[in-house]
Amino acid sequence: MTANRLAESLLALSQQEELVDLPKDYLLSGSEDEGDNDGEREHQKLLEAISSLDGKNRRKLAERSEASLKVSEFNVSSEGSGEKLVLADLLEPVKTSSSLATVKKQLNRVKSKKTVELPLNKEEIERIHREVAFNKTTQVLSKWDPVVLKNRQAEQLVFPLEKEEPAIAPIEHVLSGWKARTPLEQEIFNLLHKNKQPVADPLLTPVEKASLQAMSLEEAKMRRAELQRARALQSYYEAKARREKKIKSKKYHKVVKKGKAKKALKEFEQLRKANPAAALEELEKIEKARMMERMSLKHQNSGKWAKSKAIMAKYDLEARQAMQEQLAKNKELTQKLQVASESEEEEGGTEEVEELLVPDVVNEVQMNADGPNPWMLRSCTSDTKEAATQEDPEQLPEPEAHEVSESEGEERPVAEEEILLREFEERRSLRKRSELSQDAEPAGSQETKDSSSQEVLSELRVLAQKLKENDQSRKQKASSEGTIPQVQREEPAPEEEEPLLLQRPERVQTLEELEELGKEECFQNKELPRPVLEGQQSERTPNNRPDAPKEKKKKEQMIDLQNLLTTQSPSVKSLAVPTIEELEDEEERNQRQMIKEAFAGDDVIRDFLKEKREAVEASKPKDVDLTLPGWGEWGGVGLKPSAKKRRRFLIKAPEGPPRKDKNLPNVMINEKRNIHTAAHQVRVLPYPFTHHWQFERTIQTPIGSTWNTQRAFQKLTTPKVVTKPGHIINPIKAEDVGYRSSSRSDLSVIQRNPKRITTRHKKQLKKSSVD
Amino acid sequence: METAPKSGRDVPPKKDKLQTKRRKPRRYWEEETVPTRDGASAGPPCNKKNRELRPQRRKNAHILKKSRISKKPQVPKKPREWKNPESQRSLSGAQDPFPGPAPVPVEVVQKFCRIDKSRKLPRSKAKTRSRLEVAEAEEEETSIKAARSELLLAEEPGFLEGEDGEDTAKICQADIVEAVDIASGAKHFDLNLRQFGPYRLNYSRTGRHLAFGGRRGHVAALDWVTKKLMCEINVMEAVRDIRFLHSEALLAVAQNRWLHIYDNQGIELHCIRRCDRVTRLEFLPFHFLLATASETGFLTYLDVSVGKIVAALNARAGRLDVMSQNPYNAVIHLGHSNGTVSLWSPAMKEPLAKILCHRGGVRAVAVDSTGTYMATSGLDHQLKIFDLRGTYQPLSTRTLPHGAGHLAFSQRGLLVAGMGDVVNIWAGQGKASPPSLEQPYLTHRLSGPVHGLQFCPFEDVLGVGHSGGITSMLVPGAGEPNFDGLESNPYRSRKQRQEWEVKALLEKVPAELICLDPRALAKVDVISLEQGKKERIERLGYDPEAKAPFQPKPKQKGRSSTASLVKRKRKVMDEEHRDKVRQSLQQQQQRHKEVKAKSTGAWPSALDRFVR
């Protein structure tokens, strides 16, 4: 394309040249033979000169830069063509050749690469550096944040930070150095020795020592390695099993099975010789397998394989044999074993287990009840109950049953429960009987009991479940009807229900008799104050009632006060009447009259009310009147600003809070601020508080020893920082707070999350790259 | 023996099983645990017991935690204790029969709690919240400790109880003296001092010393328990009142003209002429203030530690001769002839409060030790008991045949009234209840009209000064049975007294702090706070704590036009406004509801206070 264009342009130029050259040729015809070359050069020069006359096109030709239309031997220029010359044009051969492909590729690569950008300003670079450094250091420092926070919130800091751990002498050392001297001590030691209590020999076993010390690093590592190994082994094993499972060959499986059976038999034989007990256990397993077999429908010629074989059996002897084999096996497996002695033993086992199960609980309770601890006592009974309901269902029946019988026995018999109870009673009696009979039974055979005990357990569990359900339903009923408080008292509702109810049963249980005794007294005591208080109340009511309405306050206050002071109060009946005043009724009345007369003049109440009114007026904030008489009006004597004006220029004072004695007619409370007290109060809220209520709450508790116990006082006044005299306080180090100190860890922090560069920073980078 | 652990609980697998079954990877603790258990089984009962107790104990912990109302500080400790009871087991295998700290009754703890949790705080930042939590935890802890230490108050107050229907008032002193032990019986005595007229008397704060002064100048101080006389003088002037200062070594006597101060030898130390014609004296022990009420109508506060007059207040109510102090907040109560009782503090020129109590003049005022009740008697022959907790309303009123001229409260709230030559004592139910004026608890007739009354602190003794001398009566249940040995120890030695004196002086409360609410110091001065805030805003030109106004975020793609910005702003503003309106509406509704509930409910019964 470009080449064509070049050719065209060249043609056009040459024609032009011919036109221009005409006169020249004419002039220089004689010297034409001198050579085409000379002539051409001349011509070129001329052209140049002409073109240079035209100001527009006057341009200095480059010495030699690129290809141009005028291909001279010195110059390469693109002048004249419409567009720029592209590098590729130069390199492109006329005919494409493969040898130039690499060059082309290189060229393309060069082309695709962007120009190298200008380096950033020095300031900008520095800024970025600074920012990165800042981020880095904050990263490094941020690991101290929790430490700093902890230290700030700590109640007390003790410096120097590293503590020398006090050497605690092991107790056995202390004990070994100690000798019993007094007779009492000797006696105690004797007792101890009699009971083989460890006294002098190491009291702490190695285990205890180990547990006392924290797990050491090595140990932890070992453990970890162990665990790892176990895990790896397991995975190998699993893989192997999976692989083997995938094998489809029946023959292979048969072989394996047979091998296993053989091996098992051999092992069993060995075991029987070596450890008969273990062998028995194994036997049990086999027995279990038999039971499983009996339960299942295996080996009964009912499977797919068996059916297919049955079809074949007519013709195939092998098939028939196989079927027969299967049937035989079935028979063998399902044969019922009848060993009388064993079953007996089993029963005995169950009995024993049961005996173990229940009486434990009973013992526990009794033991606790006998114990001297009052609060242990209270809780233990409830405990057993809770434990029974929640955790150990096998413990449940006994205490629960007792309870039920106690609480419900007479009141309303619940049918199911009774049945259950009866069942349980029977069971217990049976157990007792067996207990009597089997006292002499040797306790050696434990192994066989497991399954039987399991059965018993499951039975008991079911029983417990039923009981619980019954309980719950009953409780619901009781709560819905709200009938019998005793039921609830006896049986605490679940904790979520009502804490009050919960508290009550405890008390009842602990001090049952006591309360029963004291109940009547208590009630009396409680009832005693009532009439008194009520009497007071009724007495007070006439005085207090007028406090409520506020509308007719002024008027009513008067009446009210009158009431207050003149109410006829009952006179005291005293045994000893003052001697001077042994007057008869008449005289008394006389005296009263006299008093009345004496007080007739001074109306105490009116004076008081007046005083109060004055005080209230005085304490009210005053309005500000800004009216200027004569302003904007006619001047003169006797001016009276108009009401409108006055209203306009009157600044009403904001109404203050209601007085404390607003509703107390007989009281005047001073509302003035006590500045002397205020001088002692806090007037600036300290930092984290935003409202004075918050701060007030923190200063409510006094810290002086007058109001606190010695311990509390000491704790409240512990210094924030304690330093040891004569010790150098080193700056905190990473090791002190449990960090591993190394510059690598710091670096790793940074590398892990490489440059959490802020968005601003990113933007800046982008900008610079664009530039 | 080995069957014991088989009882089906989650006991770890036993040794034999361990051997036969597939071996687990050995744990560093496991292998050695087994032998120890075997070793421990040497003492089977112990071991068994342990195992049985375990679940139970865990339960126990729950209950304990409930009963101990502790929350924050103990919680991190407790579960650790209970999770591995093994570690708690002592070396010998014996067990603590009382595991865990002893529970503390909630009511007792409540008594020592001072933070009012009913007030709801505004929303607070996390930092503030943590501080509040710390404060609350501290309070909790200290109050629990205080409740625990109640255990040390071993003495219990006694009371006279009549056998079915018997009136205790009929029991006379002779009967009581006969019934009690000799030491207590010796506390009842009579001093026959007919010569020097009616006596005023005062017990020292420890209750060990007694000072009395007769109208005709007889002044004496004695250790009344041992009856050892410290001094006896005649001041040759009318004695109006007498009072011990902070210790028994100093004695203030209001004489006819001036106030004099004597030491326990009877040597006159000071004559204070600025307090003239003093009629009544009161000493405020924690402020070291001697309050004097004078005939001229002035209430003067004298700081006895520095000898300065702190305040001289004109009551403007004529002659003052009825005065008592409120031991709770050190406010002085003055009774006036116009039937009012005024409450005074040296910090204020005007009375803190004025209560109209009687139609006639007030004859006597007394305030109980908790500062809850005030008893007044007036010329109208009435005896009233007022509630001082903000309402100042009479709780009970009785008309006495002759009116009471003198009143006094005991430490445990017994009220005594002197009427002529008879003293009547009323008792209430318990300590913090007002004395019920239905039936007198005790009565006693003296040989002359009563002139001074005081219950002896820490003793069941009432001292009565009358015209015939001094009588010391036995009043069972009057005094506080447990004294604070550091504060007022009746048995203290001279050295101890000196030490206490120094401490008390160091802890002297400034006189300005006397006000109706003694806990005012634990409050923030809100008015100054607000003012300071206002000033700061003025100074800065803006409110630094104000919430920044909403500034809509600039958005792109032409959505950040001015109009849309304004719209967004308006939206937020409207939302805030709506919130406010909603809140105020809710408040209104609540108020309505409260009013309704109040109106519908009948007059609250007195028993409502027991409802929780």
Side-chain angles (χ1 to χ4, degrees):
Chain A
M1 277 278 287
T2 44
N4 284 344
R5 223 182 291 152
L6 267 177
E8 274 171 16
S9 58
L10 272 175
L11 254 175
L13 262 178
S14 65
Q15 278 170 5
Q16 221 177 357
E17 269 169 43
E18 271 173 15
L19 278 174
V20 177
D21 278 359
L22 264 176
K24 235 190 196 173
D25 283 340
Y26 189 72
L27 281 175
L28 301 173
S29 60
S31 59
E32 213 174 359
D33 51 339
E34 279 175 16
D36 241 20
N37 272 352
D38 257 337
E40 260 197 347
R41 206 180 298 156
E42 290 280 333
H43 176 68
Q44 191 77 28
K45 271 183 184 170
L46 186 73
L47 271 178
E48 274 174 29
I50 289 166
S51 63
S52 70
L53 284 177
D54 186 18
K56 247 195 280 178
N57 293 352
R58 197 189 312 164
R59 207 180 294 155
K60 204 185 165 193
L61 285 172
E63 191 76 349
R64 174 180 167 79
S65 57
E66 55 254 288
S68 72
L69 280 180
K70 289 158 220 156
V71 185
S72 71
E73 51 194 349
F74 312 112
N75 258 353
V76 181
S77 77
S78 66
E79 205 176 340
S81 66
E83 54 228 46
K84 270 187 179 173
L85 186 73
V86 192
L87 194 59
D89 293 339
L90 280 181
L91 287 173
E92 209 166 12
V94 183
K95 267 194 267 172
T96 50
S97 72
S98 60
S99 62
L100 284 174
T102 51
V103 181
K104 205 173 160 188
K105 223 180 252 171
Q106 276 176 359
L107 189 74
N108 276 337
R109 207 181 304 146
V110 169
K111 227 177 25 176
S112 69
K113 250 186 198 164
K114 277 173 194 165
T115 48
V116 174
E117 285 143 15
L118 276 177
L120 285 177
N121 282 346
K122 199 179 163 196
E123 292 92 58
E124 272 188 0
I125 289 169
E126 274 178 352
R127 195 187 300 150
I128 289 165
H129 278 304
R130 277 201 303 272
E131 217 157 291
V132 171
F134 173 76
N135 284 333
K136 226 185 230 178
T137 34
T138 44
Q139 279 281 317
V140 172
L141 288 180
S142 68
K143 76 168 182 178
W144 289 98
D145 284 352
V147 178
V148 171
L149 194 70
K150 207 179 111 200
N151 280 356
R152 268 188 202 154
Q153 287 176 344
E155 276 175 21
Q156 193 179 37
L157 286 178
V158 183
F159 290 109
L161 277 174
E162 67 270 13
K163 286 157 212 151
E164 298 131 23
E165 277 172 22
I168 303 163
I171 216 160
E172 54 263 40
H173 289 209
V174 178
L175 275 181
S176 61
W178 189 67
K179 272 182 183 175
R181 258 168 273 153
T182 61
L184 178 69
E185 282 168 2
Q186 278 164 358
E187 206 168 311
I188 288 168
F189 260 63
N190 276 343
L191 271 176
L192 284 175
H193 282 303
K194 234 180 236 172
N195 287 340
K196 287 173 189 170
Q197 288 282 355
V199 181
D201 53 298
L203 280 170
L204 280 181
T205 52
V207 201
E208 279 166 337
K209 253 186 194 166
S211 65
L212 277 179
Q213 287 170 351
M215 195 193 296
S216 74
L217 189 68
E218 276 176 30
E219 248 175 8
K221 269 182 184 165
M222 266 169 59
R223 234 190 106 204
R224 195 158 140 256
E226 217 170 55
L227 280 174
Q228 259 175 351
R229 198 165 149 265
R231 239 177 286 138
L233 282 176
Q234 196 186 1
S235 70
Y236 297 155
Y237 182 76
E238 275 171 4
K240 194 183 168 196
R242 228 174 284 138
R243 203 186 62 238
E244 279 177 354
K245 201 183 156 196
K246 266 187 189 166
I247 295 171
K248 281 184 180 168
S249 159
K250 282 178 185 168
K251 201 169 189 182
Y252 166 78
H253 280 295
K254 221 181 258 174
V255 168
V256 166
K257 233 184 242 174
K258 265 187 188 163
K260 263 185 191 168
K262 253 182 202 169
K263 207 177 161 191
L265 210 70
K266 210 181 271 175
E267 266 181 6
F268 180 68
E269 286 298 308
Q270 272 180 2
L271 210 75
R272 211 171 60 176
K273 274 168 199 162
N275 190 356
L280 265 176
E281 212 165 272
E282 207 73 356
L283 209 75
E284 202 177 293
K285 257 185 207 166
I286 294 166
E287 175 70 6
K288 207 172 187 182
R290 192 187 61 80
M291 274 154 68
M292 293 296 284
E293 176 62 33
R294 276 179 63 123
M295 282 193 288
S296 72
L297 296 171
K298 260 184 185 173
H299 308 295
Q300 290 195 335
N301 283 355
S302 56
K304 204 171 158 190
W305 172 85
K307 276 171 190 167
S308 70
K309 284 282 167 191
I311 296 163
M312 292 293 289
K314 263 186 199 170
Y315 319 103
D316 196 352
L317 195 111
E318 256 182 48
R320 214 179 300 160
Q321 261 179 357
M323 276 186 69
Q324 225 118 66
E325 225 168 78
Q326 207 193 12
L327 279 175
K329 195 166 190 187
N330 181 29
K331 223 170 219 178
E332 185 196 324
L333 282 171
T334 52
Q335 212 170 28
K336 201 173 183 184
L337 291 175
Q338 274 181 327
V339 191
S341 65
E342 221 177 52
S343 70
E344 228 178 77
E345 212 173 55
E346 246 177 42
E347 263 189 3
T350 58
E351 250 69 90
E352 233 181 60
V353 168
E354 222 178 351
E355 167 199 322
L356 278 171
L357 286 178
V358 187
D360 274 5
V361 183
V362 177
N363 283 344
E364 213 172 50
V365 174
Q366 278 172 353
M367 192 271 299
N368 282 317
D370 291 341
N373 190 344
W375 55 81
M376 278 283 284
L377 216 174
R378 170 190 59 197
S379 51
C380 81
T381 42
S382 59
D383 273 354
T384 46
K385 253 179 264 166
E386 274 181 11
T389 47
Q390 288 168 9
E391 285 181 11
D392 312 352
E394 70 270 23
Q395 276 187 9
L396 172 88
E398 272 262 325
E400 189 91 334
H402 272 302
E403 251 177 49
V404 169
S405 59
E406 269 170 24
S407 65
E408 286 278 301
E410 293 106 41
E411 286 188 10
R412 37 171 197 167
V414 181
E416 306 157 318
E417 208 174 60
E418 283 241 327
I419 291 161
L420 280 171
L421 274 175
R422 218 169 293 146
E423 225 177 80
F424 197 75
E425 284 291 325
E426 277 169 24
R427 226 168 258 274
R428 218 195 304 175
S429 61
L430 209 149
R431 196 194 61 226
K432 267 182 191 164
R433 248 179 286 146
S434 62
E435 201 175 38
L436 284 173
S437 64
Q438 292 194 348
D439 270 348
E441 184 87 11
S445 56
Q446 291 169 20
E447 308 84 356
T448 48
K449 283 172 213 157
D450 271 10
S451 60
S452 54
S453 70
Q454 283 288 327
E455 277 173 24
V456 173
L457 279 186
S458 62
E459 252 181 352
L460 282 174
R461 221 164 274 155
V462 169
L463 235 172
Q465 202 68 32
K466 276 182 190 170
L467 264 176
K468 218 190 286 174
E469 277 169 17
N470 274 339
D471 261 8
Q472 275 174 0
S473 64
R474 186 151 32 77
K475 233 172 262 163
Q476 279 168 3
K477 265 185 229 162
S479 60
S480 63
E481 291 166 11
T483 45
I484 312 147
Q486 245 187 11
V487 177
Q488 283 183 341
R489 202 186 291 174
E490 289 284 335
E491 290 179 19
E495 281 187 355
E496 320 84 66
E497 274 191 30
E498 272 166 300
L500 264 177
L501 275 179
L502 239 181
Q503 275 182 0
R504 212 182 271 170
E506 285 166 11
R507 206 180 65 218
V508 168
Q509 277 153 6
T510 51
L511 309 167
E512 242 171 333
E513 299 118 295
L514 223 171
E515 230 209 15
E516 269 177 358
L517 280 176
K519 215 175 254 176
E520 293 145 19
E521 282 175 22
C522 234
F523 272 110
Q524 277 173 2
N525 275 341
K526 270 176 194 167
E527 274 164 11
L528 234 174
R530 260 180 232 164
V532 176
L533 285 166
E534 274 165 10
Q536 279 180 10
Q537 191 62 42
S538 60
E539 217 176 85
R540 212 184 338 162
T541 41
N543 305 341
N544 273 1
R545 192 153 288 156
D547 295 356
K550 290 171 194 168
E551 288 83 31
K552 325 161 232 169
K553 195 176 73 189
K554 281 271 163 70
K555 265 230 163 164
E556 279 204 0
Q557 256 187 9
M558 282 286 279
I559 300 160
D560 177 20
L561 261 184
Q562 293 277 7
N563 271 342
L564 194 131
L565 293 178
T566 55
T567 36
Q568 283 301 321
S569 54
S571 59
V572 161
K573 285 166 249 154
S574 176
L575 290 170
V577 182
T579 36
I580 320 139
E581 196 240 357
E582 284 189 357
L583 314 157
E584 280 135 53
D585 282 351
E586 276 184 35
E587 268 184 83
E588 206 173 306
R589 215 172 294 147
N590 268 346
Q591 207 187 14
R592 231 176 237 166
Q593 197 61 37
M594 263 175 65
I595 289 168
K596 239 179 212 172
E597 276 166 22
F599 296 134
D602 44 23
D603 193 344
V604 177
I605 297 164
R606 205 176 54 204
D607 287 352
F608 185 81
L609 284 178
K610 197 178 153 201
E611 203 180 337
K612 184 174 177 181
R613 212 173 304 132
E614 276 166 10
V616 170
E617 285 302 315
S619 71
K620 260 186 190 164
K622 303 277 181 303
D623 298 347
V624 184
D625 194 358
L626 292 176
T627 40
L628 290 173
W631 190 261
E633 282 171 348
W634 289 107
V637 191
L639 271 178
K640 243 190 191 172
S642 66
K644 190 182 155 197
K645 206 153 236 185
R646 242 183 291 152
R647 219 182 305 130
R648 200 178 151 196
F649 288 104
L650 188 78
I651 298 172
K652 278 206 170 174
E655 212 166 298
R659 281 180 70 90
K660 279 182 221 159
D661 53 7
K662 206 172 101 187
N663 296 329
L664 307 170
N666 65 329
V667 185
M668 249 165 64
I669 296 174
N670 198 345
E671 302 261 287
K672 260 189 195 160
R673 188 163 163 245
N674 188 348
I675 45 167
H676 297 289
T677 310
H680 290 273
Q681 286 175 330
V682 177
R683 59 180 64 196
V684 180
L685 280 183
Y687 159 56
F689 302 104
T690 49
H691 198 278
H692 64 270
W693 287 350
Q694 295 166 345
F695 178 59
E696 274 168 14
R697 196 168 269 203
T698 60
I699 55 171
Q700 288 294 311
T701 347
I703 53 170
S705 58
T706 316
W707 300 273
N708 289 311
T709 57
Q710 189 59 24
R711 275 290 172 78
F713 168 66
Q714 279 170 347
K715 210 192 161 204
L716 288 172
T717 55
T718 43
K720 265 248 155 200
V721 176
V722 174
T723 53
K724 270 187 189 170
H727 283 252
I728 298 166
I729 299 171
N730 290 319
I732 195 166
K733 270 179 285 176
E735 296 103 66
D736 295 341
V737 288
Y739 287 117
R740 215 181 298 134
S741 84
S742 68
S743 53
R744 264 188 60 216
S745 71
D746 296 353
L747 278 178
S748 70
V749 169
I750 295 160
Q751 279 163 359
R752 222 177 293 132
N753 31 356
K755 288 184 203 166
R756 282 200 321 208
I757 302 167
T758 55
T759 48
R760 192 170 131 246
H761 185 205
K762 269 184 196 160
K763 259 182 215 163
Q764 212 164 35
L765 277 179
K766 212 183 272 174
K767 215 199 289 174
S768 61
S769 69
V770 166
D771 290 342
Chain B
M1 229 150 255
E2 268 302 307
T3 55
K6 239 204 151 178
S7 54
R9 271 168 238 169
D10 47 351
V11 184
K14 267 153 272 113
K15 192 185 166 189
D16 48 359
K17 268 196 181 170
L18 258 182
Q19 284 170 347
T20 52
K21 287 197 171 172
R22 183 172 58 92
R23 285 192 73 159
K24 283 182 203 164
R26 184 169 76 80
R27 308 282 178 243
Y28 69 101
W29 66 82
E30 214 162 49
E31 191 73 356
E32 282 161 317
T33 321
V34 178
T36 45
R37 184 168 291 140
D38 287 350
S41 69
C46 271
N47 203 17
K48 199 174 162 191
K49 198 165 99 187
N50 280 347
R51 208 160 294 146
E52 282 164 5
L53 274 177
R54 206 177 309 151
Q56 195 185 43
R57 280 241 244 90
R58 215 169 292 142
K59 287 292 145 47
N60 215 355
H62 279 296
I63 285 158
L64 276 181
K65 222 184 279 168
K66 212 181 296 150
S67 65
R68 306 190 33 161
I69 46 166
S70 58
K71 274 173 221 149
K72 277 282 131 107
Q74 274 88 0
V75 161
K77 273 183 200 169
K78 294 230 85 184
R80 212 196 312 138
E81 275 177 23
W82 294 110
K83 251 171 203 160
N84 49 348
E86 238 80 10
S87 70
Q88 209 191 11
R89 202 189 296 158
S90 62
L91 292 170
S92 62
Q95 233 181 350
D96 185 6
F98 307 95
V104 189
V106 182
E107 300 85 51
V108 184
V109 174
Q110 215 63 44
K111 197 170 72 180
F112 294 103
C113 285
R114 289 180 177 88
I115 293 177
D116 174 23
K117 275 168 191 144
S118 61
R119 175 183 264 177
K120 236 188 146 209
L121 293 183
R123 251 184 76 77
S124 38
K125 293 180 286 183
K127 214 171 221 173
T128 319
R129 228 176 298 134
S130 74
R131 289 279 286 270
L132 288 172
E133 272 162 16
V134 166
E136 268 163 34
E138 246 169 26
E139 191 222 17
E140 188 100 40
E141 207 181 341
T142 51
S143 52
I144 283 174
K145 273 179 182 154
R148 281 254 158 74
S149 67
E150 287 251 299
L151 188 76
L152 302 173
L153 308 181
E155 305 293 325
E156 279 179 15
F159 252 107
L160 271 186
E161 267 177 35
E163 287 170 5
D164 39 77
E166 192 192 357
D167 193 1
T168 51
K170 279 180 188 162
I171 300 169
C172 60
Q173 285 293 306
D175 297 338
I176 298 174
V177 169
E178 221 168 80
V180 298
D181 56 319
I182 301 170
S184 303
K187 284 170 187 167
H188 170 63
F189 60 89
D190 266 310
L191 296 181
N192 243 331
L193 306 162
R194 300 213 156 269
Q195 209 177 342
F196 295 106
Y199 278 89
R200 297 277 304 168
L201 83 171
N202 182 233
Y203 287 100
S204 66
R205 275 198 77 219
T206 57
R208 183 74 187 209
H209 300 272
L210 172 68
F212 50 86
R215 168 83 56 76
R216 282 168 217 153
H218 178 212
V219 170
L222 74 160
D223 182 346
W224 70 270
V225 182
T226 57
K227 316 284 191 305
K228 201 181 107 193
L229 193 67
M230 292 199 296
C231 69
E232 187 170 22
I233 50 171
N234 198 319
V235 296
M236 307 303 284
E237 208 177 2
V239 171
R240 251 77 166 272
D241 203 357
I242 188 166
R243 200 131 297 240
F244 274 115
L245 296 191
H246 56 277
S247 73
E248 58 271 14
L250 290 171
L251 200 60
V253 180
Q255 293 176 17
N256 195 25
R257 284 206 68 186
W258 295 309
L259 173 70
H260 293 256
I261 289 177
Y262 298 90
D263 74 350
N264 56 359
Q265 310 292 315
I267 300 164
E268 181 182 321
L269 299 178
H270 302 288
C271 170
I272 296 149
R273 297 200 179 150
R274 283 194 59 191
C275 304
D276 60 332
R277 302 198 168 277
V278 175
T279 54
R280 283 287 177 270
L281 293 172
E282 271 302 335
F283 184 70
L284 310 177
F286 297 105
H287 305 78
F288 283 85
L289 289 180
L290 182 69
T292 59
S294 70
E295 274 181 3
T296 52
F298 272 91
L299 171 65
T300 314
Y301 285 90
L302 173 71
D303 189 335
V304 296
S305 63
V306 290
K308 258 190 194 165
I309 284 180
V310 173
L313 311 169
N314 190 357
R316 291 201 191 85
R319 186 186 142 95
L320 303 174
D321 58 352
V322 178
M323 176 159 79
S324 85
Q325 65 160 310
N326 186 341
Y328 172 62
N329 51 15
V331 166
I332 292 288
H333 292 228
L334 292 177
H336 302 293
S337 57
N338 59 356
T340 58
V341 169
S342 53
L343 278 56
W344 292 86
S345 131
M348 296 280 277
K349 290 276 175 212
E350 292 90 36
L352 300 171
K354 256 186 181 181
I355 310 155
L356 182 59
C357 299
H358 294 279
R359 288 201 71 193
V362 177
R363 283 179 73 192
V365 179
V367 186
D368 86 323
S369 59
T370 59
T372 319
Y373 306 110
M374 173 176 76
T376 61
S377 79
L379 282 173
D380 54 357
H381 291 191
Q382 282 195 329
L383 173 63
K384 291 183 179 180
I385 292 178
F386 282 82
D387 189 354
L388 286 184
R389 291 169 292 188
T391 60
Y392 304 103
Q393 295 301 318
L395 295 176
S396 51
T397 311
R398 279 287 175 283
T399 308
L400 302 176
H402 196 58
H406 297 273
L407 292 172
F409 269 104
S410 86
Q411 279 180 324
R412 286 189 57 79
L414 267 62
L415 176 66
V416 62
M419 306 169 290
D421 61 346
V422 164
V423 282
N424 265 8
I425 298 161
W426 291 278
Q429 264 87 28
K431 200 191 171 193
S433 65
S436 63
L437 301 179
E438 295 274 330
Q439 281 272 324
Y441 173 58
L442 274 182
T443 48
H444 187 62
R445 190 187 294 280
L446 304 154
S447 54
V450 176
H451 194 60
L453 281 174
Q454 200 191 351
F455 279 102
C456 179
F458 309 113
E459 293 279 2
D460 287 346
V461 165
L462 167 69
V464 187
H466 47 90
S467 57
I470 301 286
T471 301
S472 172
M473 279 172 63
L474 292 186
V475 184
E480 181 64 46
N482 299 292
F483 58 84
D484 182 354
L486 294 173
E487 188 57 38
S488 45
N489 185 357
Y491 307 108
R492 69 187 172 195
S493 63
R494 198 158 143 247
K495 205 79 201 154
Q496 279 173 327
R497 195 199 71 207
Q498 285 164 358
E499 212 143 282
W500 167 83
E501 212 166 343
V502 171
K503 265 186 196 157
L505 275 170
L506 287 174
E507 286 173 359
K508 188 178 97 166
V509 184
E512 308 93 75
L513 281 179
I514 297 175
C515 54
L516 279 179
D517 179 16
R519 295 186 60 74
L521 209 55
K523 280 176 186 149
V524 174
D525 181 12
V526 183
I527 295 173
S528 323
L529 184 75
E530 297 291 319
Q531 205 174 344
K533 255 187 211 166
K534 221 180 270 171
E535 273 168 14
R536 189 169 173 224
I537 290 167
E538 227 164 72
R539 206 172 54 237
L540 291 174
Y542 71 98
D543 187 1
E545 281 155 22
K547 202 180 128 196
F550 173 71
Q551 200 60 43
K553 271 185 198 161
K555 289 193 174 173
Q556 285 178 339
K557 296 183 186 168
R559 282 185 292 157
S560 194
S561 70
T562 322
S564 81
L565 283 184
V566 169
K567 221 186 265 170
R568 268 188 280 159
K569 246 189 210 176
R570 170 63 44 80
K571 233 189 215 171
V572 172
M573 242 163 62
D574 286 349
E575 188 53 46
E576 279 169 5
H577 182 68
R578 249 173 273 143
D579 272 348
K580 256 185 213 166
V581 170
R582 224 172 277 146
Q583 268 185 3
S584 69
L585 270 178
Q586 268 181 1
Q587 279 176 359
Q588 260 186 359
Q589 276 174 356
Q590 266 190 357
R591 235 173 285 146
H592 272 295
K593 260 184 202 168
E594 273 172 27
V595 168
K596 262 188 189 170
K598 262 187 191 169
S599 58
T600 51
W603 197 258
S605 113
L607 294 176
D608 283 350
R609 74 186 68 175
F610 299 109
V611 176
R612 280 215 178 153

